[in-house]
Amino acid sequence: MNRDEARQLVCDAVEEVIPGADLSTLGPDSTFRDALEMDSLDFLSFIEILSARTGIRIDDEDTPRLTTLDGCTQFLLERAESVPR
């Protein structure tokens, strides 16, 4: 997985949880909560979708890294290397 693919996975997961989300408001360091008004249940669904689509295990202690577009992208890139293909 490269950076563009990881970023697209994140964007696709956001759009699944919040249909019609204006991703143009999502700066690289903007939190999903602030930029998209993602609530806690939406965030949990988002995490489940990312995990299911990538096969990457996401633990509770990982979630602070997953609150921004850049944080999610970097997390997926780092963890994708350890997922068996």
Side-chain angles (χ1 to χ4, degrees):
M1 172 182 329
N2 65 38
R3 183 165 299 281
D4 290 337
E5 292 168 334
R7 185 175 295 263
Q8 189 60 53
L9 273 168
V10 174
C11 290
D12 291 346
V14 167
E15 288 179 334
E16 187 169 331
V17 172
I18 305 173
D22 183 3
L23 297 176
S24 68
T25 64
L26 194 57
D29 294 321
S30 301
T31 65
F32 297 126
R33 176 173 292 240
D34 293 339
L36 303 174
E37 298 181 14
M38 182 183 281
D39 66 25
S40 298
L41 292 177
D42 291 337
F43 187 71
L44 287 174
S45 295
F46 167 71
I47 297 298
E48 289 172 358
I49 291 166
L50 279 182
S51 182
R53 289 187 180 175
T54 61
I56 295 171
R57 180 179 167 160
I58 302 173
D59 297 314
D60 289 342
E61 60 267 11
D62 298 323
T63 58
R65 294 185 61 196
L66 304 175
T67 59
T68 66
L69 181 57
D70 278 358
C72 277
T73 301
Q74 188 60 38
F75 175 85
L76 293 178
L77 289 172
E78 291 169 8
R79 291 288 176 92
E81 295 175 0
S82 64
V83 174
R85 295 176 187 212

